[in-house]
Amino acid sequence: MNIGLLKETGKERRVALLPEIVTTLVKMNVTVNVEHNAGSGSFVPDAGYVDAGAKILSKKEVIENSDFIIKLNGPTDEEIGLMKKDQCFLGVFNPLTDHAIVKKIMNAGITAFSMDVIPRTSRAQAMDILSSMATVNGYKAVLTAANTLPKFFPMFMTAAGTITPAKILILGAGVAGLQALATSRKLGGVVEVFDVRAAVKEEVVGLGGKFVDVEGARDDKAAGGYAVEQTEEFKLRQAQAVHDHAIKSDVIICTAQIPGKKAPVLIKKETVEAMKPGSVIIDIASSTGGNCELTKDGETIVAHEVTIIGNSFFAIDMPFDASKMFGKNVLNFLKLMITKDGFKINWEDDIVKGTCVTHNNEIINERVKALIQN
Ligand code: NAD
């Protein structure tokens, strides 16, 4: 089997596979072709891949000589043009929202896997790139907040007086929110957390946070552990509760999301106006619209003396460990298809089938199919 690793484009600094993963693949009798400079954004030179047993080639050569092309993001038009029918591609190309790329890949006859639609079952946990990247996002968001806040996070008792600890409010206690809670606590902040899923209350308390209950949340067990859209009545009650806690906070970390939908708006303009000057809002949900009404995705703005940072891609700013986690997830996924007799797509495996978006000029993933057909 031949695997090809492509270099990312634009601002992306991560790489899908670090040399340590290449070493493991080579031991499994896989030939790995790496595009020149693929690891440069993550501080890995070509020589690191050569030492791991890979060949360094041009983009065109990598695609021509590999059965399975791997990238962290989606393929560019040039890369789709270079790929042949039935060639396999693995990356993250947001098929639930970016339908244009799905159609291009499908029309080219590529068998494409998008790691962001992997089923979120217990068996798939070791392959779950959403959890890995959310971990990095939650951690980096808090460090960014601490760097931006004109105050300390921890309490200090000094000869120059007592410094009170920073108050951090976290909206959404999924993977990113819980990591933000743990990191805030390590820095000595006092943390309050909102979520619509009552199931997370225990985890929040276990990590040293205070869970703020808002009565009447819709918590749908059928949503597979995810949040669902809330009633208008609940939204009003929650907005008031968020407002009351936000105006006493120094930092708000926004992570609330509903899969496949726009992020819920939980902080209104009026709440920002009432917040303490110098406060910081980090909106990790910005790429899906943001939890704060004033968030601008990919931008840092100051409104009413509150700094609002809209960034869903903090993982790009920590490329080495983000790449390390991503690559390990990919390796665990590939192991489902690398057999003693070579590479085989096992269509009976729900993780393999669920992650496959297109094959043989058709859409395979049921969620993507339903969204594109409607
Ligand atoms: P996510 O990014 O979709 O959402 C983040 C959080 O926002 C969730 O906790 C959600 O309940 C919350 N939220 C949504 N709307 C809200 C609102 N109006 N107000 C307050 N909070 C709101 O979630 P995620 O971090 O990707 O994961 C969510 C859950 O999925 C996990 O806690 C877990 O149960 C499950 N999960 C399973 C696996 C697996 O088994 N492979 C891996 C990761 C996560």
Side-chain angles (χ1 to χ4, degrees):
M1 181 193 180
N2 292 281
I3 282 183
L5 173 66
L6 293 182
K7 179 172 166 48
E8 305 297 320
T9 50
K11 287 190 192 153
E12 183 58 77
R13 293 168 58 200
R14 293 166 295 174
V15 59
L17 305 174
L18 287 181
E20 61 198 48
I21 302 294
V22 172
T23 304
T24 309
L25 288 168
V26 169
K27 282 188 191 145
M28 294 164 78
N29 287 328
V30 175
T31 301
V32 185
N33 301 310
V34 175
E35 183 177 347
H36 171 55
N37 263 338
S40 59
S42 297
F43 306 96
V44 181
D46 283 352
Y49 287 102
V50 172
D51 290 348
K55 281 187 224 160
I56 304 295
L57 301 172
S58 69
K59 181 190 292 299
K60 190 162 174 286
E61 288 166 334
V62 167
I63 296 177
E64 272 171 11
N65 291 290
S66 310
D67 315 307
F68 205 111
I69 308 296
I70 297 184
K71 211 180 155 185
L72 198 141
N73 289 288
T76 60
D77 285 353
E78 181 200 358
E79 288 159 356
I80 294 174
L82 287 169
M83 278 187 255
K84 296 182 289 285
K85 181 165 165 47
D86 294 332
Q87 199 162 5
C88 291
F89 175 88
L90 178 150
V92 177
F93 49 91
N94 309 313
L96 295 173
T97 48
D98 190 349
H99 298 163
I101 196 163
V102 174
K103 286 177 189 160
K104 279 185 203 165
I105 294 172
M106 177 181 71
N107 291 338
I110 298 164
T111 299
F113 299 89
S114 194
M115 292 296 284
D116 52 338
V117 293
I118 196 161
R120 298 190 93 178
T121 55
S122 323
R123 194 166 68 92
Q125 262 178 10
M127 311 161 206
D128 191 343
I129 60 103
L130 291 178
S131 292
S132 300
M133 296 307 113
T135 300
V136 184
N137 272 339
Y139 169 82
K140 262 286 188 193
V142 172
L143 297 190
T144 306
N147 253 338
T148 311
L149 190 71
K151 295 181 176 179
F152 281 114
F153 259 43
M155 186 181 104
F156 281 132
M157 296 193 16
T158 76
T162 300
I163 303 281
T164 51
K167 287 197 173 121
I168 295 100
L169 178 64
I170 297 176
L171 305 179
V175 182
L178 291 175
Q179 182 55 237
L181 162 58
T183 308
S184 300
R185 292 288 299 141
K186 280 179 204 155
L187 286 177
V190 173
V191 190
E192 292 183 323
V193 182
F194 271 88
D195 201 299
V196 285
R197 294 181 302 124
V200 292
K201 185 173 178 172
E202 234 173 84
E203 283 178 89
V204 168
V205 173
L207 286 167
K210 181 174 172 239
F211 188 79
V212 185
D213 265 316
V214 181
E215 272 182 26
R218 279 182 65 216
D219 192 353
D220 190 349
K221 298 279 175 296
Y226 282 121
V228 289
E229 201 64 69
Q230 299 298 316
T231 61
E232 288 309 315
E233 192 207 340
F234 176 83
K235 284 184 193 168
L236 284 176
R237 214 162 336 118
Q238 191 189 26
Q240 186 58 52
V242 169
H243 178 90
D244 295 344
H245 288 261
I247 60 175
K248 293 183 205 138
S249 304
D250 301 296
V251 169
I252 306 183
I253 309 281
C254 305
T255 77
Q257 308 238 45
I258 304 169
K261 298 223 162 77
K262 214 175 155 296
V265 176
L266 305 174
I267 306 172
K268 303 270 186 217
K269 192 161 102 347
E270 300 73 44
T271 301
V272 178
E273 271 170 23
M275 284 174 70
K276 290 187 267 183
S279 303
V280 178
I281 297 176
I282 309 272
D283 201 337
I284 298 183
S286 64
S287 68
T288 51
N291 294 151
C292 174
E293 204 170 31
L294 299 181
T295 297
K296 288 203 165 49
D297 185 33
E299 288 184 33
T300 297
I301 61 160
V302 179
H304 312 288
E305 297 191 81
V306 175
T307 303
I308 306 173
I309 300 176
N311 186 351
S312 299
F313 300 103
F314 281 108
I316 294 176
D317 302 327
M318 222 175 74
F320 189 82
D321 275 343
S323 302
K324 192 180 173 94
M325 294 171 87
F326 189 94
K328 194 64 199 272
N329 292 146
V330 169
L331 175 68
N332 289 332
F333 180 69
L334 289 175
K335 281 181 180 168
L336 301 176
M337 295 183 280
I338 302 174
T339 70
K340 284 197 295 309
D341 311 318
F343 174 73
K344 188 171 167 287
I345 300 178
N346 180 3
W347 295 109
E348 302 300 311
D349 189 315
D350 61 315
I351 300 179
V352 173
K353 193 168 178 221
T355 311
C356 184
V357 178
T358 62
H359 172 65
N360 205 11
N361 298 104
E362 277 179 46
I363 298 176
I364 303 297
N365 180 284
E366 295 298 338
R367 276 195 294 162
V368 177
K369 199 191 282 180
L371 285 167
I372 291 191
Q373 281 170 356
N374 285 329

